[in-house]
Amino acid sequence: MNPEQWARVKDVFNAALEQEPGARPAFVAEASAGDHSVHREVERLLDAQRESAGFIEHSAAATLLSGRVISHYKIERLLGSGGMGHVYAARDTELGRDVALKVASLDSEDAQARLRREAQHASRLSHPHICHIYDVGRANGQLFVVMEFVPGRSLSDLIREAPLSVANARRYGIEIADALAHAHEHGVTHRDLKSTNVMITPKRGAKVLDFGLARMLDTHQIDALSQSQRSLTGEGIIAGTLPYMAPELLRGQRGDQRSDIWALGVLLYEMVSGRRPFTGATGFEVSAGILHQEPETLPSNVPAAMRAIIQRCLEKNPVKRYQHAADLHLALEEMKGLAKFPRLRIPFIPRRVTASFLLFAFGLATAAIVVYAIRSGIRSPAISNVYGYSLLEDGEFEQAIEQFQAAANRSPGEANPWDSLGEGYLANGMPARSLEAYSRALAIDSAYAPSILGRGLALAALGRYDEALEKESPDFRIQAFLLSRVGRYREAAEVLDKGRRESPDGAAEASANALLTSAWLLVEQKQYARALEQVRAAETALGPLGDGRKQAFLVLADLIGGVAESRAGNRGNAARRLASQKSRYDSGDRVESNWVAALEAEIALAQGLYDQAAASFRTAQTKGWQTLGRDGSTVFTTSLPSRDGLARVEIARGNRAAAIEEYRRLTDVGPGQRLFAALEPRHILELARLLDEEKDEALARVEYGRFLKLWANADAGLPELGEATRTLTAAR
């Protein structure tokens, strides 16, 4: 926009303020003299003026509470104002964190009620892409809500500058759809989703704000989200922001989750085009467009897949739209026509081969060559291998195996391609095939360390621990893990202690990881206080690490610490761990996202929220992988402390039969079974206990015997050994 246009914007805006509110749209359309840029900018300024309720109110609000302390929240500055009240940046003086504090208007009972409703609805939700509610209170008759402080810029600000790239629009669309799916599963619809209600944070992506117009779905409507495709609409009042309102809302019907999907379609259209799909000089014209017209054609650079997704979101008939936000999320995830090359990663290079900065520079150059080669159709063994690891870390395991197999076929005499193929099969839950590939690699080079490490984990998945422990793992933390699975906790502790002492290179990282592994082993032995000591020691050790690496370890530390607190009955501490974890994790990293979901599930189970716990435990099983050799946290990728969470949910519900079936799934190593983690002897023991409670003594004896065979060399005096031995002896 040039200086002349800005001058016209100022003149038209000031003149519009002198008009009656209802006459402003027509006046602006005429005064803009056909200049679309001027027209749009004046509309934006008028929208901002309305939302802030005018400069005078804004100024008064800014000084209303600044510097004051409400409860233990110190008010710092005004962030924004609206019809419901004012939002301030504040400091929680007890917990030492920044928060946002929303204060309802003093003279508005409706604003107080709406703010209370927002807090009630949003507090039911716990999701990385939804603004969290921390607290609700009153001070001098004023209702206030304390929320997560979300740094960044609103989506509307970003769109105003320029259309987003299709890749970013897709990413934010996935995150918003995931947030809506979570809300809908908990019976909450947003009803006012718009670009000003979405913040884009520097590291965590999109955050959905303001559930002030949200309403609860009835129980039968919640059930319908997964059981029916019928309409859930009914008569009700119109609520929301006009350009984002679905046709059914304008007709006076009561919208459902599909109205939120329409609004997300409008957002997707805005993101890729820089404009809204339905515009007009007056509210009547906008409404007419929404009800009867098709949106303008999208720019030619928008891929066909994205066009199709947006078109389906903006179907006038809600029956023709995506019926659930999860469906839209999946469609965006599986979009065809978007090159994967921007997401291509250089596989992690273990410390043993990272010799110098020159090697790192070589890795970057290699990545550039790989992108060019893939686009050009070139498939050398090295390029197939690098591309395979990129796919593997994105959870696209089958495609990764294809790349690794291609590399192995081209270089059958090299160990590295077979090693990569073994890792691909291991990640895909096929340990028998993985073992075959690792054996090929070791036949070529019997000392090839990555394949020794991978072979041990493949054997562990098959329950063949004696073979896995014949060769010491190249990673002392993996070695300790394998020892602990068969009850050899003393040796595992010695290995961890020795490894920490003998790791001068990157000692902080090795020490922290060893301490977290130790903490995990203590959690499963129900020594929660000692486990928490180890977690805190790990967090202290993490101080010298770089930010990116440190964050991942801290997310893992919060998981293990949160599980320990939850199982010890310290729910408040567990919740604080979860909040800390959510503030740190990378939502684009599948493994870290699984760690967050696992802790959410543990806390929900402890609270008796069984449906929520089950849903989060399933989310924690999302495909994800960390390259072997990266560090000892590899085992936490699949062998989570909460891997048997679904079974424990069924036990808590009193559904013993369902729990037995779940433990059978976890411990069945027969042909055709997908085994995504090490066979866990403790799960076999739990299965035996449940069968014993069911009076199925014959099968219980079989499982107790299987457990004792695996723990044949376990530490003497372990209570699990005594229990299994006594039960078998009594059965005879």
Side-chain angles (χ1 to χ4, degrees), residues 2 41 56 81 162 212 246 276 300 303 325 345 394 409 470 485 495 529-530 570 590 637 656 732:
N2 58 44
E41 187 63 22
I56 295 175
S81 297
R276 292 171 182 166
S300 59
R345 299 189 183 98
D394 276 340
N409 291 343
E470 283 177 0
R485 294 312 86 198
V495 167
R530 287 185 60 199
N570 304 322
R590 291 171 183 255
T637 301
R656 194 180 294 151
R732 296 192 184 96

Side-chain angles (χ1 to χ4, degrees), residues 85-205:
H86 314 291
V87 182
Y88 298 87
R91 184 73 175 170
D92 185 332
T93 57
E94 286 193 0
L95 297 181
R97 64 182 175 187
D98 294 325
V99 298
L101 191 140
K102 182 178 287 190
V103 182
S105 301
L106 281 167
D107 57 350
S108 173
E109 293 184 7
D110 178 63
Q112 300 254 352
R114 287 174 62 189
L115 187 58
R116 185 182 298 109
R117 184 168 67 247
E118 173 184 353
Q120 290 171 344
H121 293 169
S123 65
R124 293 169 56 91
L125 309 176
S126 179
H127 190 276
H129 297 295
I130 295 177
C131 181
H132 303 296
I133 299 294
Y134 294 144
D135 193 10
V136 179
R138 279 188 180 275
N140 300 323
Q142 284 181 295
L143 181 71
F144 66 88
V145 175
V146 183
M147 306 173 294
E148 173 188 5
F149 178 78
V150 182
R153 303 179 64 193
S154 72
L155 185 57
S156 63
D157 285 342
L158 294 179
I159 294 171
R160 192 176 304 120
E161 291 180 355
L164 276 59
S165 69
V166 174
N168 279 338
R170 175 175 176 262
R171 175 195 172 187
Y172 300 146
I174 287 171
E175 292 167 349
I176 297 167
D178 199 30
L180 290 177
H182 176 80
H184 295 166
E185 286 172 4
H186 288 76
V188 178
T189 52
H190 192 288
R191 301 181 78 203
D192 194 25
L193 182 65
K194 55 188 177 182
S195 57
T196 54
N197 276 345
V198 177
M199 292 291 292
I200 304 301
T201 66
K203 294 182 179 179
R204 307 305 179 192

Side-chain angles (χ1 to χ4, degrees), residues 652-673:
R653 284 173 167 161
N655 191 347
R656 194 180 294 151
I660 287 172
E661 287 305 308
E662 182 61 22
Y663 276 119
R664 285 196 189 284
R665 183 185 70 81
L666 290 171
T667 59
D668 189 350
V669 294
Q673 295 297 318

Side-chain angles (χ1 to χ4, degrees), residues 567 601-602 605 613-614 617 621 640-651 662-663 666 683:
R567 295 186 185 181
E602 289 284 347
L605 178 57
F617 278 128
Q621 296 172 3
L640 287 168
S642 55
R643 187 156 54 100
D644 66 336
L646 290 172
R648 289 187 285 118
V649 168
E650 297 302 337
I651 291 173
E662 182 61 22
Y663 276 119
L666 290 171
H683 294 167

